[in-house]
Amino acid sequence: MPHLNDNAAELVVANLPLLKGLDNEFGFLDLACGSGRNGLFLLENGIPVIFADCNKESLEKVRTKLVEKSTEKVMGKTLKAEFWAVDLELGNTNPLAGKLFDGVLVFNYLHRPLFPYITQCIKPGGIVVYQTFTIDQQQFGRPKNLDYLLTKNELLEHFLGWETLYYFEGIRRKPQRAIASLIARKPG
C-alpha cells in the first residue's frame, strides 16, 4: 500500500514509539497543519489525528490524499481523521476552549497568544511536539519577521513545569535553518 506521507519531520518519525505509547483516547491535534505531513504520518501509524488549519483548501488536500490513496484502513484498523477549519489568530478568543487532546503537533508556526491554550488543551500526561524557527533564522532566509521567530530558550519557557523529553535549539543542515525543537510531557 502506498504511504500517506514520506516527508514527516524527523522529530516525529524518531519519536513515534513515544507518541504511540499514549492511550490516544482523544487523538493528536496537528495545529496549523498545512499539508498535514506530520499528522498523516501519525494517522498511518494508527494514531487518531485532528487536522486544524485556517486554510480550507489545505484541509481539503489532506482529505483528498486520504481518499485517493484508498487509505480508509491501515493494517486492518479504521483511520480516525477529523478536519477542523479554524482561524487560530482570531482576536482575543481561545479556539481550543473546551477541547482535549492526547498531544499537539506544531511545526513551522508561531502565534504566541496560543501558548497558554495549547498547554490547557493537552490532557495530563499528554505530549507536545513543537518545532519552529528561532531568531537566528534571519541569516538563512524566511521567516525574518520577529513575530514568527522564537527568542533564545523561549520555547522551553512556555512549557516550564513540563517534563522535557527532548530539546534542541540551534542550526540544522539540509536545509540549513535555525530552529528550536521540543517534546514535553504535561504533568499529571
Side-chain angles (χ1 to χ4, degrees):
M1 176 213 273
H3 292 288
L4 289 171
N5 195 328
D6 294 322
N7 297 314
E10 181 182 329
L11 187 63
V12 175
V13 174
N15 289 282
L16 182 62
L18 170 69
L19 305 180
K20 284 184 83 164
L22 300 172
D23 62 18
N24 289 306
E25 173 184 8
F26 303 106
F28 264 76
L29 176 64
D30 190 351
L31 190 71
C33 68
S35 68
R37 66 189 181 115
N38 296 306
L40 287 168
F41 178 78
L42 292 186
L43 193 63
E44 186 172 45
N45 283 281
I47 298 173
V49 177
I50 298 90
F51 296 90
D53 204 290
C54 66
N55 186 328
K56 292 178 184 178
E57 290 176 15
S58 292
L59 290 172
E60 193 54 39
K61 286 179 182 177
V62 175
R63 185 189 316 264
T64 300
K65 185 178 270 193
L66 288 172
V67 172
E68 285 176 354
K69 299 283 187 182
S70 299
T71 54
E72 294 175 357
K73 294 191 176 191
V74 172
M75 295 178 286
K77 294 182 181 178
T78 301
L79 298 179
K80 296 178 184 172
E82 295 179 32
F83 300 89
W84 182 26
V86 58
D87 186 343
L88 299 165
E89 300 177 19
L90 188 61
N92 292 326
T93 62
N94 176 359
L96 302 174
K99 304 211 180 289
L100 193 61
F101 305 100
D102 297 299
V104 174
L105 302 174
V106 186
F107 281 81
N108 303 329
Y109 177 74
L110 178 62
H111 183 61
R112 288 177 176 89
L114 283 178
F115 276 115
Y117 306 141
I118 291 169
T119 62
Q120 292 168 7
C121 77
I122 297 173
K123 74 175 188 179
I127 300 284
V128 64
V129 180
Y130 206 122
Q131 180 174 289
T132 197
F133 300 102
T134 66
I135 197 163
D136 293 329
Q137 177 63 22
Q138 293 174 317
Q139 65 186 308
F140 302 118
R142 295 180 25 187
K144 290 184 182 239
N145 184 330
L146 295 178
D147 291 341
Y148 308 121
L149 300 171
L150 293 167
T151 58
K152 184 163 180 56
N153 292 321
E154 181 180 357
L155 193 54
L156 278 174
E157 291 168 9
H158 285 293
F159 293 93
L160 281 176
W162 288 47
E163 178 188 3
T164 300
L165 304 173
Y166 174 84
Y167 187 72
F168 170 83
E169 186 169 326
I171 309 299
R172 291 279 193 220
R173 311 256 181 257
K174 297 181 185 177
Q176 194 166 34
R177 65 208 187 283
I179 59 169
S181 304
L182 170 78
I183 299 177
R185 184 185 312 274
K186 186 173 185 175

